[in-house]
Amino acid sequence: MAMAVAPQHRESSSSGSLNKHLTDNGKYVRYTSEQVEALERVYAECPKPSSLRRQQLIRECPILANIEPKQIKVWFQNRRCREKQRKESSRLQTVNRKLTAMNKLLMEENDRLQKQVSQLVCENGFMQQQLQTAPAAADASCDSAVTTPQHSLRDANNPAGLLSLAEETLAEFLSKATGTAVDWVQMPGMKPGPDSVGIFAISQRCSGVAARACGLVSLEPTKLAEILKDRQSWFRDCRNLEVFTVFPAGNGGTIELLYSQIYAPTTLAPARDFWTLRYTISLENGSLVVCERSLSGSGAGPNAAAAAQFVRAEMLPSGYLIRPCEGGGSIIHIVDHLNLQAWSVPEVLRPLYESSKAVAQKVTIMALRHVRQIAHETSGEVVYGLGRQPAVLRTFSQRLSRGFNDAINGFNDDGWSLMNSDGAEDVIIAVNTTKNLISANNPAHSLSFLGGILCAKASMLLQNVPPAVLVRFLREHRSEWADFSVDAYSAASLKAGSYAYPGMRSMRFTGSQIIMPLGHTIEQEELLEVIRLEGHSFAQEDAFVSRDIHLLQICSGIDENAVGACSELVFAPIDEMFPDDAPLLPSGFRVIPLESKTKDAQEALTTNRTLDLTSSLEVGPVTNHASVDGSSCHLRSVLTIAFQFPFESNLQDNVATMARQYVRSVISSVQRVATAISPSGLNPALGPKLSAGSPEALTLAHWICQSYCYHLGAELLRSDSVGGDSVLKHLWHHPDAILCCSLEALPVFIFANQAGLDMLETTLVALQDITLDKIFDESGRKALFTDFAKLMQQGFACLPAGICMSTMGRNVSYEQAISWKVLAAEENTVHCIAFSFVNWSFL
């Protein structure tokens, strides 16, 4: 980014023709205007020249020949000081303008609250009077109930009726934006201040759900209105917005009839649509208003067949009040008042559709953040990633989000249809044979060979799992849930058929995941980045050929302390050249909180939280991770997963089978992660599991040591390390690789210490996917099977030196492997089988 050149500053003497500067010895040196101009030119190129550069300047500029180098040095010091003062003054002026505007907003809010108090006092007095004359009041209330006029919506084909409705909408909207028509309360977690986004409030008692925002934006009112009216540019859930009729209102305003469609956030609920009137008008005080409300008729609007997949929602008077601000910029008031027809969704999702806070997070705050982002980019203070302009990066984010929403909703008019299931309803398979990934701007990027797109998606309910922690873990530990071969297949399909399923080559992920940031919003609630996964082919002829995969990814809602509607991780394979018009096929995760947790539970979740699931074994009391149980933490959330796969026409069934199995595998991995990060260690889909730092892990550690001593007559740990809670810590840091596997037909590892995890190159979460036979070579398996009967009979067995294999395919040698039965406390129940690999090392 180019460095701005500072404007020239001159300090004139009393005669106005000379500049003077104070030197170190206290004498003033006077400079002519020509000398100042020469020094300013050098300052613009280099504000802090070296001693050699200053001497060179004196030689090259004859007009500076009578000035000593030390005096030149002092001039540059003073010039830098003045520039620093100028910038600080400019910053303070900006802060002062913000504080003045915020003070004005707070004074208006105070006036509104005073009016609301007066109104409540009057209502209280009226109610007391009514209680004193109960019979008369009852009759009056009955008469009032009968004679209260109901609002009748006008015919959309009658311009006069629409103008009357527009004026009523304007009046009702203004009463919500600056008046007391709605009982507003401050939104939790959003305190006003000079560094805040704005002032946010939600409705306490009203029909439907409502949210309001006030803020200062450094954009002109007309520009703000233009941005906000283009709802698809900032509201990620807006699928479509069509303007069907536009006509002048006769008073300088404009009336529009709109039809809009809103994506459903999960596969468990239908999408919404709106048929609305939008009224834009300038007020006498110079303010600009854009207000909107629903029109009558559930079937009104465009094509009724296209609207069959939607539930008609109602927009009560809402909109934007934009007032010009002294010194530039605008003060904006935003009101969103909706009735989302919560009856049409499953009961478990109704908190999401009946929450004013959810509307504030998803719509109101998003609108204000977007215009502030545009203002920030317009100021030229944004650092671009990979040389891309903000508009290009924002388009990438919008395309990823829109493609993910399309996959979740699967609308018929987009060409999606459901495939027959395999008898289980956990994963939905939808196919689209009409949608090709074709770039409109660059035919070279067209993928016309594809038979279509297949989407495997599922939704599930999570309990006591912080969405931000879960998504952050999925982002930073991709190897815990992703299959590199599937990523390679999707990436290769975008390269015009370099190879296709089922003949895709076997790939190996090296474990290296490089995250390259592209950009972020000014509050960093959303990140745009490129992920490079380093991989190599298993084929011998391609052993030294890099098979790196690049993913374009957006991640949002990973700050536990931030206020957000949901946490998302959406990604799509992309060509390493990263063209602006690259075709994208997004997949990913969305976690939406349904209920808020208590303050105590929230503090417990955010204290000492770490994404390294194994590091928790190093803390003392194991109760640190189980301090919040299911009775004290009531956080529920819905997780939605959607993965898209391109396919050729003759391979549709094969890809469908692979997609279904892969998504089920991802669900299983995510459930294990959710169990591990849950403060209670429980997940309704899984039940209790052994996790790091849990009481079960401590109990198992005691059993391992006691059983070793019982069977082998020796101490696994020093005698002073076996008592109390320290046994788990010492076992964890034991130099030998200690692993435990279940006692079943196909033994699976259930625990390992740090050395064991290092040897297998895995984590505690992924460990539970590894079977015992996978780590031994052929000779090792034979030795194990030979000694297994001995192990079960005498309780232990010693395996000779051999070689095993890590999950990354690396060979590991060991001098000896000792196996023994781990007995429960009763010493007659075999809990699992333990292995100790002595003096192991990578080959």
Side-chain angles (χ1 to χ4, degrees), residues 748-765:
V748 178
F749 288 108
I750 59 174
F751 177 79
N753 67 349
Q754 182 64 68
L757 296 177
D758 292 342
M759 185 185 78
L760 296 183
E761 295 183 286
T762 186
T763 65
L764 278 177
V765 178

Side-chain angles (χ1 to χ4, degrees), residues 269-280:
R272 265 60 182 158
D273 66 350
F274 295 89
W275 176 238
T276 58
L277 174 146
R278 185 165 68 188
Y279 184 36
T280 305

Side-chain angles (χ1 to χ4, degrees), residues 412-625:
N412 294 336
D413 56 348
D414 277 344
W416 290 98
S417 60
L418 297 180
M419 291 184 64
N420 294 329
S421 67
D422 59 353
E425 298 180 355
D426 56 335
V427 178
I428 302 172
I429 301 293
V431 65
N432 191 332
T433 57
T434 64
K435 183 177 180 179
N436 288 328
L437 297 179
I438 300 177
S439 172
N441 298 328
N442 190 349
H445 293 150
S446 299
L447 301 181
S448 57
F449 75 97
L450 295 175
I453 308 298
L454 187 142
C455 178
K457 50 191 175 181
S459 294
M460 70 188 73
L461 187 68
L462 300 177
Q463 189 156 347
N464 300 341
V465 179
V469 178
L470 176 59
V471 171
R472 190 161 70 243
F473 185 90
L474 296 176
R475 170 179 176 259
E476 298 176 358
H477 300 268
R478 187 180 182 87
S479 60
E480 297 287 355
W481 56 267
D483 187 326
F484 187 79
S485 296
V486 175
D487 288 333
Y489 161 70
S490 298
S493 299
L494 294 179
K495 297 180 179 179
S498 46
Y499 58 87
Y501 184 91
M504 59 183 181
R505 303 177 185 180
S506 181
M507 304 289 290
R508 176 172 64 90
F509 178 49
T510 64
S512 177
Q513 171 182 303
I514 301 174
I515 300 178
M516 298 174 285
L518 288 178
H520 56 78
T521 52
I522 53 178
E523 296 176 52
Q524 299 196 16
E525 72 276 0
E526 181 178 285
L527 309 175
L528 178 66
E529 50 203 11
V530 171
I531 310 299
R532 190 178 77 188
L533 306 176
E534 296 182 349
H536 295 279
S537 173
F538 277 132
Q540 185 174 1
E541 64 272 14
D542 295 334
F544 299 100
V545 178
S546 174
R547 295 289 181 181
D548 292 353
I549 296 172
H550 294 81
L551 304 173
L552 183 66
Q553 177 172 281
I554 55 172
C555 183
S556 62
I558 59 174
D559 184 358
E560 294 172 82
N561 299 318
V563 178
C566 64
S567 300
E568 283 187 340
L569 183 69
V570 181
F571 48 88
I574 193 169
D575 187 85
E576 60 185 6
M577 300 305 295
F578 193 35
D580 292 349
D581 55 352
L584 299 177
L585 197 62
S587 303
F589 308 86
R590 173 180 293 158
V591 188
I592 307 173
L594 298 178
E595 296 176 359
S596 61
K597 41 189 181 291
T598 62
K599 183 178 179 180
D600 293 339
Q602 186 175 11
E603 291 176 353
L605 287 173
T606 56
T607 302
N608 295 330
R609 174 63 60 190
T610 174
L611 288 179
D612 184 0
L613 302 179
T614 60
S615 64
S616 59
L617 287 170
E618 299 183 3
V619 281
V622 295
T623 55
N624 287 352
H625 290 266

Side-chain angles (χ1 to χ4, degrees), residues 707-708 710-713 787-799 818-821 823:
S707 300
Y708 186 93
Y710 176 79
H711 291 301
L712 283 84
D787 292 337
F788 188 79
K790 179 181 177 182
L791 168 65
M792 298 306 296
Q793 182 177 2
Q794 69 179 21
F796 72 96
C798 296
L799 305 180
I818 303 172
S819 61
W820 68 97
K821 293 190 295 185
L823 304 178

